[in-house]
Amino acid sequence: MGDSQYSFSLTTFSPSGKLVQIEHALTAVGSGQTSLGIKAANGVVIATEKKLPSILVDEASVQKIQCLTPNIGVVYSGMGPDFRVLVRKSRKQAEQYHRLYKEPIPVTQLVRETAAVMQEFTQSGGVRPFGVSLLVAGYDDNGPQLYQVDPSGSYFSWKASAMGKNVSNAKTFLEKRYTDDMELDDAVHTAILTLKEGFEGQISGKNIEIGIIGADKKFRVLTPAEIEDYLAEVE
Amino acid sequence: MSIFEYNGSALVAMVGKNCFAIASDRRLGVQLQTIATDFQRISKIHDRLFLGLSGLATDAQTLYQRLLFRHKLYQLREERDMKPETFANLVSALLYEKRFGPYFCQPVIAGLGDEDKPFICTMDSIGAKELAKDFVVAGTASESLYGACESMFKEDMEPEELFETVSQALLSSVDRDCLSGWGGHVYVVTPTEVKERILKGRMD
């Protein structure tokens, strides 16, 4: 394709108006493990597959869902190490906001600043874009919120979204199942069912991760035992 | 002579029932010479938040401009006004940034917070916050102001009575201070309106 001549330099537009490196970054995201998020009336749930490369890996040490502040959590699809860098930067930005204003950072502001960091890496010399898309779930004074942030730095607010492998099936499934007045528990069930759709092998509390935040504004990751309980309810 | 006493100033803020008052004198001097009798020491940040700055007038003006700048950007980004407590933290952080070359100002912050609860505070020139439930004072006349406010203050005053109290406290204190005076400027703020009044006292 004519575009390939322009895929060496990140900071150069191709004739078709694209930044090819960002397209490639989105491909990296698209081949990552499925993750999804659902915004309920009284909270938000985010979930991801946790497929490990071998049974010898200690799965308790792998944490794909992280919290950025006590009331904001995040999950990703794509490259794990890039995700860790972004989590670190976002946590620092949230704390800097708190130091200045003694207020917890609103979800929109944190998403905006994280997206600005990701955009920086698409317009600077000698760096490459992040190979992750993030799903940020938070609960602040404006209620429950769910945002997706892409490698280009664009962000969108979603009622429900999915990323990674199997994204089109997952999104179709979510479109059918989503209702505006869903409660948090229903949303968790729907999230599990959506993950199950494209899951290879037997789903269990050890190979998926779920994070929830409710009206108590405290983000937490569910334990494998709690996930097993939800799985039993779904069967 | 102290740099804080170069221009002369008097500031007081008082809490009433679901309202607050913030008042200042109007003199701007250069040591013993008076050069203005209509100097604005109190500025509005937004409809429910007022900032008074005592001390060196040039630093007061610059600090006000910087704070207004920060608040305007905050309004654009977050699509809401800053709460008084949040603003007070911002002022404190900004002042401490200049710890070893400070602004020679003492700010007085007064505003209506959530549920129309009045909030007042003052801080020193490097950002040490002092919250109060009744009144805060600043400026060259601060010692007289402390005495006057302590004796005249009552809890839960209505806006009209609060205005009388603040005015009496201010005028009697600046009369004992040669560097402040030439009238007073009083703002009484309730959830529904802001009343601005000029006082005529001893014009010296």
Side-chain angles (χ1 to χ4, degrees):
Chain A
M1 292 186 294
D3 274 359
S4 62
Q5 284 183 296
Y6 294 85
S7 62
F8 59 86
S9 170
L10 163 64
T11 53
T12 314
F13 277 102
S14 71
S16 55
K18 290 194 248 176
L19 286 165
V20 194
Q21 277 300 302
I22 295 182
E23 304 290 321
H24 295 335
L26 285 164
T27 313
V29 168
S31 51
Q33 288 181 7
T34 314
S35 61
L36 55 93
I38 303 177
K39 183 168 73 172
N42 61 341
V44 193
V45 59
I46 47 179
T48 182
E49 281 178 8
K50 194 162 78 164
K51 285 254 184 64
L52 298 164
S54 146
I55 53 165
L56 292 173
V57 176
D58 177 6
E59 91 276 321
S61 70
V62 176
Q63 260 234 322
K64 288 182 72 176
I65 299 185
Q66 296 282 347
C67 93
L68 299 178
T69 70
N71 65 326
I72 304 176
V74 66
V75 74
Y76 74 101
S77 277
M79 297 168 67
D82 285 9
F83 173 66
R84 283 199 297 276
V85 167
L86 279 170
V87 165
R88 212 178 145 82
K89 283 190 201 265
S90 303
R91 283 175 175 164
K92 191 170 181 184
Q93 278 162 344
E95 278 310 312
Q96 278 172 343
Y97 184 99
H98 187 264
R99 196 204 166 268
L100 203 52
Y101 299 114
K102 276 251 176 64
E103 252 189 29
I105 188 169
V107 184
T108 34
Q109 300 305 311
L110 186 56
V111 166
R112 213 177 39 81
E113 293 194 20
T114 308
V117 168
M118 291 171 88
Q119 193 280 342
E120 257 175 58
F121 281 69
T122 68
Q123 213 177 6
S124 310
V127 296
R128 62 164 176 81
F130 287 97
V132 286
S133 276
L134 304 173
L135 271 175
V136 181
Y139 202 120
D140 62 17
D141 290 334
N142 294 338
Q145 290 163 79
L146 177 66
Y147 284 90
Q148 178 178 340
V149 194
D150 278 343
S152 57
S154 42
Y155 58 92
F156 320 89
S157 176
W158 290 92
K159 297 181 196 170
S161 180
M163 335 184 284
K165 274 189 275 225
N166 207 37
V167 60
S168 42
N169 284 345
K171 278 198 173 166
T172 321
F173 190 87
L174 284 170
E175 268 171 38
K176 287 205 203 100
R177 282 264 179 154
Y178 184 81
T179 61
D180 280 319
D181 53 2
M182 227 182 216
E183 296 268 313
L184 191 55
D185 277 339
D186 300 328
V188 177
H189 290 138
T190 308
I192 291 176
L193 286 168
T194 316
L195 276 178
K196 238 180 156 190
E197 279 286 298
F199 206 87
E200 289 153 21
Q202 178 71 345
I203 199 170
S204 85
K206 295 219 179 104
N207 50 25
I208 60 171
E209 231 178 270
I210 302 182
I212 57 170
I213 181 163
D216 60 353
K217 293 193 192 165
K218 286 206 172 58
F219 183 82
R220 64 185 193 89
V221 180
L222 299 180
T223 62
E226 288 170 311
I227 301 181
E228 295 286 353
D229 288 339
Y230 277 108
L231 276 169
E233 284 168 29
V234 158
E235 297 293 333
Chain B
M1 119 168 318
S2 160
I3 187 73
F4 287 97
E5 290 159 18
Y6 188 75
N7 293 126
S9 52
L11 268 178
V12 57
M14 227 185 243
V15 164
K17 193 168 179 173
N18 288 340
C19 64
F20 67 86
I22 182 167
S24 74
D25 73 321
R26 306 190 80 207
R27 177 183 180 272
L28 176 70
V30 171
Q31 294 187 303
L32 51 86
Q33 188 186 28
T34 303
I35 54 172
T37 56
D38 57 358
F39 188 65
Q40 274 268 39
R41 262 188 195 94
I42 298 174
S43 327
K44 183 172 90 156
I45 301 289
H46 62 74
D47 284 329
R48 292 154 63 99
L49 180 57
F50 283 75
L51 170 71
L53 287 162
S54 69
L56 197 61
T58 176
D59 283 357
Q61 286 181 333
T62 305
L63 192 57
Y64 163 64
Q65 285 163 7
R66 277 193 72 191
L67 288 164
L68 189 64
F69 167 86
R70 296 297 294 254
H71 183 256
K72 282 191 196 164
L73 278 182
Y74 182 97
Q75 266 180 327
L76 285 169
R77 267 193 255 115
E78 306 216 8
E79 290 171 358
R80 58 179 177 140
D81 285 334
M82 240 191 239
K83 289 191 254 201
E85 298 85 352
T86 312
F87 185 72
N89 274 303
L90 177 63
V91 177
S92 177
L94 243 61
L95 288 174
Y96 195 82
E97 263 175 41
K98 301 269 188 238
R99 171 70 176 76
F100 300 108
Y103 288 109
F104 296 115
C105 293
Q106 206 184 342
V108 165
I109 296 160
L112 286 174
D114 287 333
E115 283 138 45
D116 297 338
K117 191 158 183 285
F119 170 87
I120 53 169
C121 88
T122 183
M123 54 193 84
D124 68 5
S125 56
I126 45 177
K129 255 189 301 173
E130 193 194 304
L131 305 170
K133 294 204 181 80
D134 39 19
F135 57 86
V136 290
V137 304
T140 49
S142 58
E143 275 152 8
S144 301
L145 276 165
Y146 271 123
C149 289
E150 193 70 59
S151 52
M152 295 189 204
F153 180 80
K154 283 199 318 263
E155 285 217 6
D156 284 337
M157 282 185 278
E158 295 291 331
E160 286 309 314
E161 202 193 344
L162 184 65
F163 166 68
E164 292 296 323
T165 310
V166 160
S167 307
Q168 292 291 5
L170 181 70
L171 289 177
S172 58
S173 305
V174 304
D175 284 349
R176 278 289 181 184
D177 176 25
C178 54
L179 294 172
S180 52
W182 281 93
H185 206 143
V186 187
Y187 292 84
V188 179
V189 181
T190 62
T192 45
E193 61 162 357
V194 172
K195 256 219 175 102
E196 187 186 333
R197 295 186 184 93
I198 308 282
L199 303 172
K200 189 164 184 219
R202 274 184 68 107
M203 298 312 215
D204 63 359

